[in-house]
């Protein structure tokens, strides 16, 4: 297939329709009708073969992740996604590969009702850039900068699973249910879009966990001008993670592994009752993992209140943790 057949016959048909797309794929630019009175939120992320996904990673999972990591940024802002563009650089015109890729992309964009409205297709080393435009009411964006001393730190889901899945890549042809679950947390992360919207009126700061909980909590602390203290014992480690890894490795994955695409956020004590009420409306599990203090930086405390030491990307306090096993998150 030539470039135009790939665009019009393989990629474009996978997009969902939206009434606010005045002119989609097929012209020199897309024409979009923003929701009246809303602010727009724009995000973009690039995936490079070998750097952001391992060799042999399925085309459909590359497509899914390219969209999901951007939807996760939209979620972390508290926005609702509307439209996406796709810049695709391919080493060859491989129709089957593009078909799989486009199906995976649609697996992520369709549940988020996000329309693919344009892009670019070129030849070169495999590289995928997705941009997503979302919207929210003016003045309601969640940022990294609003944490205050006294706030509590929360995380959604079970961080560490994706890193454990990546560490097991490539999975065996017949993986155990546990391993299959962990690998799926890496290949098919769930953008926490409904949670992001719900947190708009609750959280004082928010970030999505792409680099690792410790690094991303560090971004909240730095942008907010505060210190964050995390309790290692309160990290919500999944049963799968604890089954697949020894305790130090599980903790290391949860704190420094990255690729979780969960939300890490801070909440003032006054908002805790409303946060608790979210459990009743189908949100992912939320765990309180620490506190915000005056000061700077992130500390992780053991159950005795002693600070644990880390050296990114490895986690060297517990001894026996092999720093070569995982060289940092696949996404940056
Ligand atoms: P131009 O030459 O004006 O850049 P192109 O021929 O590159 O236009 O693209 C034709 C149409 O297809 C445009 O509407 C463009 O947005 C869209 N398009 C190109 N590549 C992609 C892609 N990978 N995904 C989605 N839309 C694409
Ligand atoms: Mg072009």
């Amino acid at each position: 297939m030539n470039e135009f057949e790939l665009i019009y016959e393989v990629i474009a048909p996978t997009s969902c329709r939206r009434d606010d797309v005045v002119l989609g794929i097929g012209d020199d630019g897309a024409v979009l009708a923003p929701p009246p009175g809303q602010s727009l939120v724009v995000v973009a992320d690039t995936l490079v073969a070998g750097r952001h996904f391992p060799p042999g990673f399925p085309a459909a999972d590359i497509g899914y992740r390219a969209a999901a990591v951007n939807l996760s940024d939209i979620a972390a802002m508290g926005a609702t996604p509307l439209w996406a563009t796709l810049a695709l650089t391919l080493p060859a015109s491989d129709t089957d590969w593009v078909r799989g890729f486009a199906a995976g992309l649609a697996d992520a964009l369709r549940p988020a009702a996000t329309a693919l409205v344009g892009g670019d297709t070129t030849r070169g080393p495999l590289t995928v850039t997705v941009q997503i435009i979302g919207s929210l009411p003016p003045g309601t964006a969640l940022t990294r900068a609003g944490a205050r001393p006294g706030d509590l730190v929360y995380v959604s889901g079970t961080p560490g699973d994706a890193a454990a899945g990546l560490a097991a890549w490539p999975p065996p042809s017949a993986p155990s249910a546990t391993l299959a679950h962990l690998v799926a947390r890496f290949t098919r992360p769930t953008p926490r879009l409904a949670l992001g919207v719900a947190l708009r009126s609750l959280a004082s700061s928010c970030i999505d966990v792409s680099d690792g909980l410790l690094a991303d909590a560090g971004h909240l602390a730095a942008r907010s001008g505060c210190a964050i203290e995390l309790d290692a014992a309160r990290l919500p480690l999944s049963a799968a993670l604890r089954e697949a890894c020894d305790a130090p490795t599980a903790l290391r994955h949860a704190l420094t592994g990255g690729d979780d695409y969960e939300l890490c956020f801070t909440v003032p004590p006054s908002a805790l009752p409303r946060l608790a009420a979210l459990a009743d409306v189908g949100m992912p599990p939320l765990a309180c993992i620490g506190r915000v203090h005056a000061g700077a930086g992130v500390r992780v405390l053991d159950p005795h209140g002693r600070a644990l030491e880390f050296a990114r990307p490895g986690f060297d306090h517990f001894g026996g943790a092999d720093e070569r096993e995982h060289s940092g998150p696949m996404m940056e």
Side-chain angles (χ1 to χ4, degrees):
M1 279 192 171
N2 68 30
E3 175 191 335
F4 298 105
E5 288 167 337
L6 283 178
I7 296 169
Y8 296 117
E9 292 175 28
V10 179
I11 298 176
T14 63
S15 176
C16 58
R17 293 181 192 287
R18 291 184 62 99
D19 291 343
D20 51 15
V21 179
V22 181
L23 189 58
I25 291 172
D27 216 298
D28 291 311
V31 180
L32 308 167
Q38 299 261 305
S39 295
L40 297 179
V41 175
V42 183
V43 304
D45 252 319
T46 295
L47 271 62
V48 178
R51 170 136 191 88
H52 297 103
F53 47 88
F57 206 59
D61 292 335
I62 296 171
Y64 181 93
R65 272 181 67 89
V69 302
N70 279 282
L71 290 168
S72 178
D73 281 327
I74 288 281
M77 297 303 294
T80 299
L82 304 170
W83 314 299
T85 64
L86 167 67
L88 191 54
T89 304
L90 298 170
S93 167
D94 180 339
T95 305
D96 285 341
W97 191 95
V98 176
R99 222 182 276 290
F101 173 89
L105 188 84
D107 285 344
L109 293 181
R110 199 174 292 269
T114 304
L116 185 63
V117 298
D120 194 33
T121 305
T122 51
R123 192 179 286 260
L126 179 58
T127 305
V128 183
T129 300
V130 170
Q131 177 187 52
I132 295 185
I133 302 171
S135 70
L136 41 64
T140 66
L142 292 168
T143 72
R144 301 178 177 188
R148 295 290 169 264
D151 290 355
L152 296 169
V153 182
Y154 280 78
V155 71
S156 63
T158 54
D161 292 358
L166 174 61
W169 190 271
S173 52
S176 66
T178 298
L179 190 58
H181 171 78
L182 295 172
V183 168
R185 293 313 296 157
F186 176 71
T187 57
R188 299 267 165 160
T190 308
R192 300 301 189 187
L193 287 161
L195 178 61
V197 169
L199 290 176
R200 278 201 307 237
S201 59
L202 284 173
S204 50
S205 70
C206 185
I207 191 169
D208 69 318
V209 181
S210 54
D211 292 347
L213 195 48
L214 196 57
D216 290 314
H219 295 316
L220 289 184
R223 298 285 297 173
S224 296
C226 297
I228 285 180
E229 213 168 65
L230 303 178
D231 297 320
R234 298 173 87 174
L235 291 170
L237 307 183
S238 71
L241 181 64
R242 284 183 278 117
E243 188 187 319
C245 306
D246 61 26
T249 306
L251 191 55
R252 179 166 54 90
H253 284 325
L255 284 166
T256 68
D259 293 308
D260 293 307
Y261 300 101
E262 296 294 345
L263 297 183
C264 177
F265 55 96
T266 59
V267 178
S270 60
L272 290 180
R274 286 189 296 136
L275 185 71
L278 290 186
D280 303 332
V281 292
M283 292 293 166
L286 306 176
C288 180
I289 57 169
R291 303 154 293 282
V292 182
H293 293 291
V298 182
R299 296 200 310 160
V300 183
L301 303 182
D302 73 9
H304 308 288
R306 291 186 297 243
L308 303 177
E309 296 297 325
F310 299 88
R312 278 210 76 200
F315 174 42
D316 59 16
H317 179 81
F318 294 98
D322 180 2
E323 293 192 32
R324 289 161 304 173
E325 178 192 333
H326 177 55
S327 60
M330 291 299 287
M331 285 301 304
E332 285 170 2

